[in-house]
Amino acid sequence: MISLSYTEENYLKAIYHLSYLGKECITTNEIAEMLNTKPASVSDMLKKLSQKEMINYVKYYGVEITDQGKSCALKIVRKHRLWEVFLVEKLKFNWDEVHDVAEELEHIQSNLLIERLDHFLGFPKYDPHGDPIPGADGLLREKPQIGLCDLTINDIGFLSNVKEAGVAFLQYCDKVGLKIGVKIKVIDKVSFDNSLEIEIDNIKTISISKEVSKNIFVTR
Amino acid sequence: MISLSYTEENYLKAIYHLSYLGKECITTNEIAEMLNTKPASVSDMLKKLSQKEMINYVKYYGVEITDQGKSCALKIVRKHRLWEVFLVEKLKFNWDEVHDVAEELEHIQSNLLIERLDHFLGFPKYDPHGDPIPGADGLLREKPQIGLCDLTINDIGFLSNVKEAGVAFLQYCDKVGLKIGVKIKVIDKVSFDNSLEIEIDNIKTISISKEVSKNIFVTR
DNA sequence: TAAAAAATTTAGACAATCCTAAAAATATTT
DNA sequence: AAATATTTTTAGGATTGTCTAAATTTTTTA
Ligand SMILES: [Mn+2]
Ligand SMILES: [Mn+2]
Ligand SMILES: [Mn+2]
Ligand SMILES: [Mn+2]
C-alpha cells in the first residue's frame, strides 16, 4: 500500500473533486485555486503524485487521475464525510461548522477507526450536505438527482444535496429554511435573472437567485 | 495565543510527562529516548520551545517546563485522554488499541470539537487507563492512589490506574484479569524477587512480578 | 586531578513543502 | 503568421524537522 503524506492527500483529493464532473483534464491553475496555493507549488506536487502513479501528468497539458489515485481519494472522501456525520449527528455541530474540522480528521490513519466509526454511526449513506459516502469497498453510489435550477414551473422535488460547502451559503440556507429533505415546489421562474420563486414544505414561499438554485439538488 | 506545530506539541507533551513526577530537570537524552529521535534533533527543538517560552532551557544542563508550557501540554493531554475514552466507550476499542490513534487525534485543532466531545462523553474524569483528564479550565485533579508494589500483605485496594501504555503490558493485564476497578488483595510478597501473590475480585489468585506491580496503582 | 567516558551541542546535509521571479510553452489576438 | 497574453514550469531560496559526524562540555573513573 503506497502511503501519502498529509499534503499529498489534500492535493489528490482536490484533483479527484475537480475530476468528478467528468472533466478529462485538470489544469495546474485550477488546483492552485482550489487549494489556495501557487501554481509553482502545484507543479512540484504533480511530479510527486505522478511518480506515485496517482495521476497521469503531461507537462504543460494537464492531469488525469488514475484508478489507483481515485481509489485513494475515495478513501479520504469516505473519512471526511463519515466524520462530518459524526460531528452533526453526535456532537450537534451545525452543517456549516463541520467542514474545516473534517478537513483535519480525514487524515487520521486507522482502518479500525473508520470502520468502527461507520458502524457507530449506523452505516450512513449520505453526509450532512447530502453527498454520498463511499463504501468500505471503495465504491461511490450516487442517487439520481436534478439541479433545482433545471426544474420547471409546478415541478416538485425534495432537497437532497447542496453543492457548496461555504459557511455563508449554508447559513443562508438555514435562514430561509432550505434543509435536506424539505419539499420544494417551483412556483415561478423569472426569465430576466433566472431567479426562482419556490414553495418550501407547503408552508412558505421564497425567492432565490440562480446562484443559489444551481447549488441545490433535488430528487423527484 | 501562541501556536505550536504538530511536532512541537509532541515534544512539549513528552517534556510535560517527564516533568510530571516532580523531576526538577529533564535531559536531552531522556526526551530523545521517549520520542524515538536523536539527541541532536532534541537540541534543535529545545531552542524553539525555549524561544516560545514553553520551557526554560539551559544549555548542557537541561530543561524545565514553564507555566505556559504546562498549560499547553495539559490541553493536549486533555484531548488525548478524551479521545481515548471515545474510542473505548463509543467505538469499542480495547484499551491496548487506543494509544496510537489518540496520538494523532490529540492534534486536531478545534475548541468546539473538544468541548462537545467532552459533553458527548458525559464529562469523564478518567481515561481508559485510569489517568485523570485535565478539565477545560486546564487543571488536573488527581486522586490519591498507591502503587500496588507498596501494599503489604492482607492490604486491599481497587485497581485505579495503569502507568504503562504499551500493548504488551495491557494485553497481559487483560489476560490475567487486571482491569480498572477490580478488587485486589495482597496474599503474599516474595522478598527474593519482590513478586506478589494477589487475589482478584475474591475469585482467583495470581502471581505478578515487581515489573508489573510497580505499574499498577490502587485506591484503598 | 588528569584521562576517559558520556552527554550535549553545533555543523553540515537532506527531504518536504512553500514561495517569488524568471524562463519556457501554449493560446489568443490582431 | 507575428505579436501579445496567459499558463505552466524551472530556478533559487526559505522554513521545518530530520540525520550523521565532529566539536564541546560535563561527569565519572582511575
Ligand atoms: Mn484535508
Ligand atoms: Mn460534506
Ligand atoms: Mn501526538
Ligand atoms: Mn491513556
Side-chain angles (χ1 to χ4, degrees), chain B residues 94-96 129 148 159 161-180 182 184 200 204 206 208 211-213 215-217:
Chain B
N94 203 290
W95 69 349
D96 62 286
H129 312 104
L148 181 51
L159 201 165
N161 201 188
V162 294
K163 285 292 181 197
E164 156 72 47
V167 173
F169 177 74
L170 295 173
Q171 286 182 353
Y172 167 82
C173 289
D174 271 343
K175 203 182 67 182
V176 301
L178 289 167
K179 299 186 295 188
I180 299 288
V182 295
I184 296 176
I200 300 176
K204 63 182 209 174
I206 63 168
I208 60 173
E211 279 316 289
V212 169
S213 70
N215 282 303
I216 291 176
F217 284 73

Short mmCIF file of all heavy atoms in Angstrom, two decimals, chain B residues 94-96 129 148 159 161-180 182 184 200 204 206 208 211-213 215-217:
data_model
loop_
_atom_site.label_atom_id
_atom_site.label_comp_id
_atom_site.label_asym_id
_atom_site.label_seq_id
_atom_site.Cartn_x
_atom_site.Cartn_y
_atom_site.Cartn_z
N ASN B 94 -10.33 -1.82 22.30
CA ASN B 94 -9.75 -2.34 23.51
C ASN B 94 -8.75 -1.31 24.05
O ASN B 94 -8.22 -0.53 23.28
CB ASN B 94 -9.02 -3.66 23.21
CG ASN B 94 -8.89 -4.50 24.45
OD1 ASN B 94 -8.13 -4.16 25.35
ND2 ASN B 94 -9.63 -5.58 24.52
N TRP B 95 -8.48 -1.33 25.33
CA TRP B 95 -7.60 -0.30 25.91
C TRP B 95 -6.17 -0.37 25.41
O TRP B 95 -5.41 0.59 25.58
CB TRP B 95 -7.67 -0.27 27.43
CG TRP B 95 -7.07 -1.45 28.16
CD1 TRP B 95 -6.67 -2.63 27.61
CD2 TRP B 95 -6.80 -1.52 29.55
NE1 TRP B 95 -6.19 -3.46 28.58
CE2 TRP B 95 -6.24 -2.81 29.78
CE3 TRP B 95 -6.96 -0.67 30.63
CZ2 TRP B 95 -5.86 -3.24 31.05
CZ3 TRP B 95 -6.57 -1.10 31.89
CH2 TRP B 95 -6.03 -2.37 32.09
N ASP B 96 -5.79 -1.46 24.79
CA ASP B 96 -4.44 -1.51 24.23
C ASP B 96 -4.40 -1.01 22.77
O ASP B 96 -3.34 -0.93 22.17
CB ASP B 96 -3.88 -2.94 24.29
CG ASP B 96 -4.70 -3.91 23.48
OD1 ASP B 96 -5.81 -4.26 23.92
OD2 ASP B 96 -4.25 -4.32 22.39
N HIS B 129 -7.19 4.11 30.99
CA HIS B 129 -6.09 3.56 31.77
C HIS B 129 -6.10 4.11 33.19
O HIS B 129 -5.17 3.88 33.95
CB HIS B 129 -4.76 3.88 31.08
CG HIS B 129 -4.77 3.55 29.62
ND1 HIS B 129 -4.88 4.51 28.64
CD2 HIS B 129 -4.74 2.35 28.98
CE1 HIS B 129 -4.91 3.91 27.46
NE2 HIS B 129 -4.84 2.62 27.63
N LEU B 148 0.70 -0.61 43.71
CA LEU B 148 0.41 -1.97 44.18
C LEU B 148 1.64 -2.57 44.86
O LEU B 148 1.53 -3.31 45.84
CB LEU B 148 -0.02 -2.83 42.97
CG LEU B 148 -0.39 -4.28 43.22
CD1 LEU B 148 -1.40 -4.41 44.34
CD2 LEU B 148 -0.94 -4.90 41.95
N LEU B 159 -8.16 -1.46 41.73
CA LEU B 159 -7.27 -1.04 40.65
C LEU B 159 -7.79 0.25 40.02
O LEU B 159 -8.91 0.29 39.51
CB LEU B 159 -7.17 -2.16 39.59
CG LEU B 159 -5.94 -2.14 38.67
CD1 LEU B 159 -5.80 -3.47 37.96
CD2 LEU B 159 -5.95 -1.00 37.70
N ASN B 161 -5.49 2.59 38.14
CA ASN B 161 -4.61 3.24 37.17
C ASN B 161 -3.51 2.28 36.74
O ASN B 161 -2.92 1.61 37.58
CB ASN B 161 -3.99 4.48 37.85
CG ASN B 161 -3.48 5.53 36.89
OD1 ASN B 161 -2.83 6.48 37.32
ND2 ASN B 161 -3.75 5.42 35.61
N VAL B 162 -3.25 2.26 35.42
CA VAL B 162 -2.05 1.56 34.95
C VAL B 162 -1.11 2.59 34.34
O VAL B 162 -1.54 3.47 33.60
CB VAL B 162 -2.39 0.45 33.93
CG1 VAL B 162 -3.17 -0.66 34.59
CG2 VAL B 162 -3.15 1.01 32.74
N LYS B 163 0.15 2.50 34.69
CA LYS B 163 1.10 3.55 34.34
C LYS B 163 1.88 3.25 33.07
O LYS B 163 2.78 4.00 32.70
CB LYS B 163 2.12 3.74 35.48
CG LYS B 163 1.56 4.46 36.69
CD LYS B 163 1.25 5.91 36.38
CE LYS B 163 0.71 6.64 37.59
NZ LYS B 163 0.04 7.90 37.25
N GLU B 164 1.59 2.16 32.44
CA GLU B 164 2.36 1.77 31.26
C GLU B 164 1.35 1.57 30.14
O GLU B 164 0.36 0.85 30.31
CB GLU B 164 3.12 0.47 31.59
CG GLU B 164 3.51 -0.41 30.44
CD GLU B 164 4.63 0.19 29.62
OE1 GLU B 164 5.63 0.64 30.21
OE2 GLU B 164 4.49 0.22 28.37
N ALA B 165 1.57 2.24 29.00
CA ALA B 165 0.57 2.22 27.95
C ALA B 165 0.89 1.21 26.85
O ALA B 165 0.18 1.12 25.86
CB ALA B 165 0.41 3.61 27.36
N GLY B 166 1.96 0.45 27.02
CA GLY B 166 2.38 -0.48 25.97
C GLY B 166 1.36 -1.58 25.72
O GLY B 166 0.69 -2.03 26.65
N VAL B 167 1.28 -1.99 24.46
CA VAL B 167 0.32 -3.02 24.07
C VAL B 167 0.57 -4.32 24.84
O VAL B 167 -0.36 -4.94 25.35
CB VAL B 167 0.40 -3.27 22.55
CG1 VAL B 167 -0.46 -4.46 22.16
CG2 VAL B 167 -0.03 -2.02 21.78
N ALA B 168 1.82 -4.71 24.95
CA ALA B 168 2.15 -5.98 25.60
C ALA B 168 1.68 -6.00 27.05
O ALA B 168 1.05 -6.96 27.50
CB ALA B 168 3.66 -6.23 25.54
N PHE B 169 1.95 -4.91 27.76
CA PHE B 169 1.55 -4.84 29.17
C PHE B 169 0.03 -4.88 29.31
O PHE B 169 -0.52 -5.62 30.14
CB PHE B 169 2.10 -3.56 29.80
CG PHE B 169 1.68 -3.36 31.23
CD1 PHE B 169 2.24 -4.12 32.24
CD2 PHE B 169 0.72 -2.40 31.55
CE1 PHE B 169 1.85 -3.93 33.56
CE2 PHE B 169 0.33 -2.22 32.87
CZ PHE B 169 0.90 -2.99 33.87
N LEU B 170 -0.66 -4.10 28.50
CA LEU B 170 -2.12 -4.02 28.62
C LEU B 170 -2.78 -5.35 28.26
O LEU B 170 -3.77 -5.75 28.86
CB LEU B 170 -2.66 -2.88 27.75
CG LEU B 170 -2.20 -1.48 28.20
CD1 LEU B 170 -2.63 -0.42 27.19
CD2 LEU B 170 -2.73 -1.14 29.58
N GLN B 171 -2.23 -6.01 27.26
CA GLN B 171 -2.81 -7.31 26.89
C GLN B 171 -2.55 -8.35 27.99
O GLN B 171 -3.40 -9.20 28.27
CB GLN B 171 -2.24 -7.78 25.55
CG GLN B 171 -2.84 -6.98 24.38
CD GLN B 171 -2.35 -7.44 23.03
OE1 GLN B 171 -1.46 -8.29 22.92
NE2 GLN B 171 -2.93 -6.87 21.97
N TYR B 172 -1.38 -8.25 28.61
CA TYR B 172 -1.10 -9.13 29.74
C TYR B 172 -2.12 -8.91 30.86
O TYR B 172 -2.67 -9.86 31.43
CB TYR B 172 0.33 -8.90 30.24
CG TYR B 172 0.60 -9.52 31.59
CD1 TYR B 172 0.93 -10.88 31.70
CD2 TYR B 172 0.51 -8.78 32.76
CE1 TYR B 172 1.16 -11.46 32.93
CE2 TYR B 172 0.74 -9.34 34.01
CZ TYR B 172 1.06 -10.70 34.08
OH TYR B 172 1.29 -11.27 35.31
N CYS B 173 -2.38 -7.64 31.17
CA CYS B 173 -3.36 -7.33 32.21
C CYS B 173 -4.72 -7.93 31.87
O CYS B 173 -5.37 -8.56 32.72
CB CYS B 173 -3.49 -5.81 32.37
SG CYS B 173 -2.06 -5.03 33.13
N ASP B 174 -5.14 -7.74 30.64
CA ASP B 174 -6.41 -8.33 30.19
C ASP B 174 -6.43 -9.82 30.48
O ASP B 174 -7.40 -10.36 31.00
CB ASP B 174 -6.58 -8.13 28.67
CG ASP B 174 -7.29 -6.81 28.36
OD1 ASP B 174 -7.90 -6.24 29.27
OD2 ASP B 174 -7.21 -6.37 27.21
N LYS B 175 -5.33 -10.47 30.09
CA LYS B 175 -5.29 -11.92 30.16
C LYS B 175 -5.43 -12.44 31.59
O LYS B 175 -6.16 -13.40 31.84
CB LYS B 175 -3.98 -12.44 29.55
CG LYS B 175 -4.04 -13.87 29.07
CD LYS B 175 -2.70 -14.33 28.52
CE LYS B 175 -1.65 -14.43 29.61
NZ LYS B 175 -0.34 -14.83 29.10
N VAL B 176 -4.76 -11.75 32.53
CA VAL B 176 -4.80 -12.24 33.91
C VAL B 176 -5.95 -11.64 34.72
O VAL B 176 -6.10 -11.95 35.89
CB VAL B 176 -3.45 -12.00 34.63
CG1 VAL B 176 -2.32 -12.71 33.89
CG2 VAL B 176 -3.17 -10.52 34.78
N GLY B 177 -6.73 -10.75 34.08
CA GLY B 177 -7.91 -10.23 34.78
C GLY B 177 -7.68 -8.92 35.51
O GLY B 177 -8.49 -8.53 36.34
N LEU B 178 -6.58 -8.25 35.22
CA LEU B 178 -6.34 -6.96 35.87
C LEU B 178 -6.99 -5.85 35.07
O LEU B 178 -6.47 -5.41 34.03
CB LEU B 178 -4.82 -6.72 36.00
CG LEU B 178 -4.13 -7.62 37.03
CD1 LEU B 178 -2.61 -7.57 36.89
CD2 LEU B 178 -4.54 -7.22 38.45
N LYS B 179 -8.15 -5.39 35.52
CA LYS B 179 -8.88 -4.33 34.84
C LYS B 179 -9.16 -3.21 35.83
O LYS B 179 -9.17 -3.42 37.04
CB LYS B 179 -10.21 -4.85 34.30
CG LYS B 179 -10.06 -5.96 33.28
CD LYS B 179 -11.40 -6.33 32.67
CE LYS B 179 -12.34 -6.93 33.71
NZ LYS B 179 -13.58 -7.46 33.10
N ILE B 180 -9.45 -2.02 35.32
CA ILE B 180 -9.80 -0.91 36.19
C ILE B 180 -10.99 -1.32 37.06
O ILE B 180 -11.98 -1.85 36.56
CB ILE B 180 -10.19 0.34 35.36
CG1 ILE B 180 -9.04 0.81 34.48
CG2 ILE B 180 -10.67 1.48 36.27
CD1 ILE B 180 -7.90 1.46 35.20
N VAL B 182 -11.15 -3.62 39.54
CA VAL B 182 -11.16 -4.90 40.25
C VAL B 182 -10.59 -4.74 41.66
O VAL B 182 -9.79 -3.84 41.93
CB VAL B 182 -10.35 -6.00 39.50
CG1 VAL B 182 -10.98 -6.33 38.17
CG2 VAL B 182 -8.88 -5.61 39.36
N ILE B 184 -8.30 -5.94 44.61
CA ILE B 184 -7.05 -6.69 44.73
C ILE B 184 -6.67 -6.85 46.20
O ILE B 184 -6.62 -5.87 46.93
CB ILE B 184 -5.91 -5.98 43.99
CG1 ILE B 184 -6.20 -5.94 42.48
CG2 ILE B 184 -4.57 -6.67 44.24
CD1 ILE B 184 -5.17 -5.17 41.68
N ILE B 200 -7.77 -11.55 43.01
CA ILE B 200 -8.54 -10.58 42.23
C ILE B 200 -10.03 -10.83 42.39
O ILE B 200 -10.51 -11.94 42.14
CB ILE B 200 -8.17 -10.68 40.73
CG1 ILE B 200 -6.68 -10.38 40.55
CG2 ILE B 200 -9.01 -9.71 39.91
CD1 ILE B 200 -6.19 -10.52 39.14
N LYS B 204 -9.91 -15.23 41.92
CA LYS B 204 -8.73 -16.01 41.58
C LYS B 204 -7.46 -15.38 42.13
O LYS B 204 -7.40 -14.18 42.40
CB LYS B 204 -8.62 -16.17 40.07
CG LYS B 204 -8.45 -14.88 39.30
CD LYS B 204 -8.42 -15.23 37.81
CE LYS B 204 -7.62 -14.26 37.00
NZ LYS B 204 -7.50 -14.69 35.61
N ILE B 206 -3.36 -14.88 41.59
CA ILE B 206 -2.28 -14.97 40.60
C ILE B 206 -1.02 -14.38 41.19
O ILE B 206 -1.05 -13.68 42.20
CB ILE B 206 -2.61 -14.22 39.28
CG1 ILE B 206 -2.77 -12.73 39.58
CG2 ILE B 206 -3.84 -14.80 38.62
CD1 ILE B 206 -2.82 -11.86 38.36
N ILE B 208 2.24 -11.97 40.33
CA ILE B 208 2.73 -10.97 39.38
C ILE B 208 4.11 -10.47 39.80
O ILE B 208 4.43 -10.39 40.99
CB ILE B 208 1.76 -9.77 39.28
CG1 ILE B 208 1.59 -9.09 40.63
CG2 ILE B 208 0.41 -10.19 38.71
CD1 ILE B 208 0.79 -7.82 40.58
N GLU B 211 7.96 -5.94 38.17
CA GLU B 211 7.82 -5.18 36.92
C GLU B 211 6.37 -4.77 36.70
O GLU B 211 6.06 -3.66 36.30
CB GLU B 211 8.25 -6.04 35.72
CG GLU B 211 9.73 -6.11 35.45
CD GLU B 211 10.40 -4.77 35.55
OE1 GLU B 211 10.20 -3.92 34.66
OE2 GLU B 211 11.10 -4.55 36.55
N VAL B 212 5.48 -5.75 36.94
CA VAL B 212 4.06 -5.49 36.73
C VAL B 212 3.49 -4.65 37.88
O VAL B 212 2.82 -3.64 37.65
CB VAL B 212 3.28 -6.82 36.61
CG1 VAL B 212 1.78 -6.59 36.65
CG2 VAL B 212 3.68 -7.54 35.31
N SER B 213 3.78 -5.03 39.10
CA SER B 213 3.11 -4.38 40.24
C SER B 213 3.48 -2.92 40.36
O SER B 213 2.69 -2.10 40.82
CB SER B 213 3.43 -5.11 41.55
OG SER B 213 4.79 -4.92 41.91
N ASN B 215 3.69 -0.87 38.02
CA ASN B 215 2.93 -0.10 37.04
C ASN B 215 1.43 -0.07 37.32
O ASN B 215 0.67 0.46 36.53
CB ASN B 215 3.16 -0.67 35.64
CG ASN B 215 4.50 -0.24 35.07
OD1 ASN B 215 4.76 0.95 34.97
ND2 ASN B 215 5.35 -1.19 34.73
N ILE B 216 1.05 -0.66 38.44
CA ILE B 216 -0.37 -0.72 38.77
C ILE B 216 -0.63 0.04 40.06
O ILE B 216 0.07 -0.14 41.05
CB ILE B 216 -0.82 -2.19 38.91
CG1 ILE B 216 -0.78 -2.84 37.52
CG2 ILE B 216 -2.20 -2.28 39.52
CD1 ILE B 216 -1.11 -4.30 37.53
N PHE B 217 -1.63 0.90 40.02
CA PHE B 217 -1.97 1.70 41.20
C PHE B 217 -3.40 1.40 41.65
O PHE B 217 -4.25 1.06 40.83
CB PHE B 217 -1.80 3.19 40.89
CG PHE B 217 -0.34 3.59 40.88
CD1 PHE B 217 0.48 3.21 39.83
CD2 PHE B 217 0.20 4.33 41.92
CE1 PHE B 217 1.83 3.54 39.82
CE2 PHE B 217 1.55 4.66 41.92
CZ PHE B 217 2.36 4.27 40.87
#
